[in-house]
Each structure stands twice: as C-alpha cells, then as structure tokens.
Amino acid sequence: MADTHSNAGAIWALGMTQIIGYGTLYYSFSILAPGIAIDLGVAVEWIYGCISLALLAGGLISPWAGGLADRLGAGRVMSAGSIGAAAALAVCGLASSTTAFLAGMVLVELASAFVLYSTAFAFLAQTTGTRAQPSITYLTLIAGFASTIFWPLTTWLLQTMDWQQVYLLFAGLNLVVCLPLHLWLSRFARIVAARPIETVAAKTPMIVDNGDLVFILIVLGFSLAGFVSAATLFHMVPMLGVLGLGTVGVWVASLLGPAQVASRLINMGFGQDLPATVLAVVSAITMPLALGTLALSAPSTAGAILFAIIFGLGSGLFSIVSGTLPLAIFGKAGFGKRMGWIGMGRLGLSSLAPFALSVALGAIGPKPSLWILAVAGLMCVAVFGDVWRRCRPIGQKVAAVNQPTDAVHRQG
C-alpha cells in the first residue's frame, strides 16, 4: 500500500511539472506570437519560422536525451532540463532582436526534450514496474489541463504585462516549481531502484511481423500525427479568429484540455483492455474527422466547439498511445532511447508545421489549409492501421505474411 501511495505522489508531482512544462514551453507560444512579431518588427510568419527551426533542433537532440534518461535516470535528466527550460525562457524574455529570440526558441525546444512527455514516460517505465502503462494514462490525465490553464492564463497576463515579462514569469515557474519537484522525483527514483526486483509475471507478449519495420512505421505515424497536431495547436486560436469566431476562439480552443481529460477518463474506464495498436488507430481517425468538421461548419460556433472536442479527444488518446504503444510492443529495455527516436521523427516533421500552415493560411486561406491537414491525418490512419495489422497478442491469428522467425517482444 505504501508503494501505491508513493507512486501516486510521484505521478501527481510529474503531472504538475508537465502542466507547467507544456503550458510555458508549448501552448503559450500561439498567444504570444502576434505581439512578438509586432515588437520585433517582423511578419508573424517569421516568428513561426523560428519555432519551426527550434522544433527541428529539439528533434535532433531527442535520441540523445532519451539515451541519457536510460543511462542516468529520467529524474536526473528532468532536473537538469528544468534549469535549461528556465534559462531558455529567460533568454526569450530578454530578447530585443530577432536573432536573440530565435536563439531563445531553439533553447526552449532543446530543454523540452529533457522535461516533457518522452522523458516523463521513461521515468514512469523506470519507477512504476508492471504499472507503467496505467501510470502513463494517469499522468496524461493530469497533464491534459495544460492548454485549458495556459491559453486563458497567457491571454489574461497579456492584459497587464508584455510578452517579455510573461516569458520571465514562466521562467520563474520552471525554476521555482518544476526544479524542486524534479529533484524530489530523482530521489524517489533512487529509492525505487533500491527495492527488490519485481517477480510478477510479464503480461501477454505481442507477436510482431518484422519488428524493425514496425518501429519505422511507428515513428512515421507519430511524425504525421505530430505534424497535424503542431500545425493545428500552434495556429488554433488565430485560425479560429480568421474563420470568423473572433475573440470566442480562445474559449473554444480552451475546450481542448477538458476533451483531452475526458478521453483519458473514458480510456481508464472502458479502454484498459483495448490493445495500444487499436487505440492508435482510433486516435488517428479523430484528426481528419475534427478538421473536416471545422472546414465544413465554419464560422459556426457549434461546429468549432465540436471540432475542439473531437480534436481534443484524439489528442488526449495520442498522448497515451505515444508512451504505451512502444512500451507494449518493445518493452522497457531501451525505452528512453526509443522514445527519443520517436521524438526526433515527430519533431522533425512537426518543425515544418507552424511555418507551413502560416504560409498556407496566407496563400490559400484557412479552409483549404484544413483539408490539407485532414489528408495528412488520413495518411496517419493508414500507417497505424498497418502497425495494428502487424502486431498481435499471443493467441491471436497473425497475418499470413508472418514467418516462423518473427520476433516476439515481451513487455518489461
């Protein structure tokens, strides 16, 4: 019972750091970007170009950050990342030129590789034993409030502060709140490491048709999902405004967080026995469905609300799948580095998204841009559908292409 309570405390502490991490390093950007562009005297597309370059840098460092989490422990990596995140946000807050702001954004994404979901999931895989997969679901349930809190909060702060002061405040949050929590989590991980090794039998393994190809498909699937998600989330509030929602857009967008939380609650209640491969397909389907709904219904407020709810449901499930799918198929060995490679693919393609959609919105308008994103979402559905086809629990019939030498990957 004591172990259960201590694990719950660790998940809550980690959830708090994820709310602040995603809120300050990710969700706040789209609210701050227009003011940054005005003050620095550049087009807003240039500001989104900065985040695109920064996402690329974050993707390139992700495998290294994941490898460090495997070798040194994810808690230590996140502690160092908190200091880096605070420093990066401070650089953004002190930036008085476009070059300085670009440098700050690159540092923000480099720090993100050490403190956000990839490393947090590795921490749970290292510390929660056979409870790793449900622990990931609990964490994403808590962290799902990041957008709900930080989109309105950032908007409210801009009424009394400029964007530079907001960045400095966010730097302080990472230093004063996240760093102590990550240091405590690092200590918690050392205590867990000293416990006797679990002797509980492993869960049912999966039979995988061509494990290397499946991993490539997983990276591709999450890369496509990351592209659609990044393009949509970075532009959600201004795009809803362009579509005719005006200031209502920020409150419609804030429904994303509750929808994410709702999807995780539904998954906890009814989807615990659903294979991660199936959940990946279900998650992918929501993206083109949501984007198509918005494109067909705009400027209807009801349609925008439905879009935000559907997209939020899918986004919430994807947060779970991004950790549970590789864990279910490949197990805990090298989990941090696998998450790093997935992060590199996801962020590499996502790095194109903010700038590409910013240009597309100006060149062809919001509705054609939404249909392009929907097509990318359909491609994601096809990729995860193939992963589902190639991976089956023991006892289920596998596709006829399987050979006797197919690898069997057991969970940790």
Side-chain angles (χ1 to χ4, degrees), residues 66 70 331-339:
D70 286 335
K332 296 180 183 179
F335 179 71
K337 194 161 189 177
R338 286 189 185 277
M339 290 299 298

Side-chain angles (χ1 to χ4, degrees), residues 181-192:
L181 288 174
H182 283 151
L183 289 171
W184 178 79
L185 289 167
S186 182
R187 179 175 175 273
F188 172 81
R190 291 194 297 272
I191 294 172
V192 170

Side-chain angles (χ1 to χ4, degrees), residues 24-49:
T24 60
L25 300 171
Y26 192 83
Y27 286 116
S28 63
F29 180 83
S30 63
I31 306 297
L32 299 173
I36 296 170
I38 292 171
D39 284 357
L40 295 182
V42 296
V44 72
E45 289 82 2
W46 193 96
I47 300 299
Y48 281 102

Side-chain angles (χ1 to χ4, degrees), residues 135-155:
S135 295
I136 288 173
T137 301
Y138 294 137
L139 174 62
T140 59
L141 176 64
I142 299 167
F145 288 102
S147 61
T148 303
I149 294 171
F150 274 87
W151 272 334
L153 175 62
T154 306
T155 302

Side-chain angles (χ1 to χ4, degrees), residues 173-226:
L173 282 177
N174 279 271
L175 199 60
V176 174
V177 180
C178 294
L179 177 58
L181 288 174
H182 283 151
L183 289 171
W184 178 79
L185 289 167
S186 182
R187 179 175 175 273
F188 172 81
R190 291 194 297 272
I191 294 172
V192 170
R195 296 173 183 167
I197 297 175
E198 290 182 279
T199 58
V200 180
K203 293 183 180 179
T204 304
M206 279 194 171
I207 295 178
V208 181
D209 170 29
N210 194 338
D212 290 340
L213 176 59
V214 166
F215 185 66
I216 291 172
L217 289 172
I218 288 173
V219 173
L220 176 60
F222 283 122
S223 298
L224 288 167

Side-chain angles (χ1 to χ4, degrees), residues 232-308:
T232 304
L233 292 177
F234 275 113
H235 289 278
M236 182 176 285
V237 175
M239 183 168 59
L240 289 173
V242 172
L243 286 168
L245 275 295
T247 56
V248 177
V250 68
W251 301 109
V252 170
S254 296
L255 294 173
L256 183 77
Q260 288 176 327
V261 173
S263 70
R264 292 157 188 168
L265 286 171
I266 293 170
N267 180 66
M268 287 171 59
F270 304 101
Q272 289 295 300
D273 296 326
L274 196 66
T277 49
V278 176
L279 195 60
V281 175
V282 174
S283 305
I285 289 172
T286 62
M287 292 189 301
L289 180 62
L291 293 163
T293 298
L294 182 61
L296 291 172
S297 65
S300 165
T301 301
I305 290 172
L306 186 59
F307 151 75

Side-chain angles (χ1 to χ4, degrees), residues 94-115:
L94 296 172
S96 57
S97 67
T98 53
T99 303
F101 181 74
L102 173 59
M105 289 309 304
V106 169
L107 291 174
V108 162
E109 290 304 321
L110 293 178
S112 296
F114 293 87
V115 297

Side-chain angles (χ1 to χ4, degrees), residues 206-211 390 398-409:
M206 279 194 171
I207 295 178
V208 181
D209 170 29
N210 194 338
R390 292 174 180 275
V398 187
V401 294
N402 286 1
Q403 301 298 322
T405 55
D406 285 346
V408 177
H409 300 278

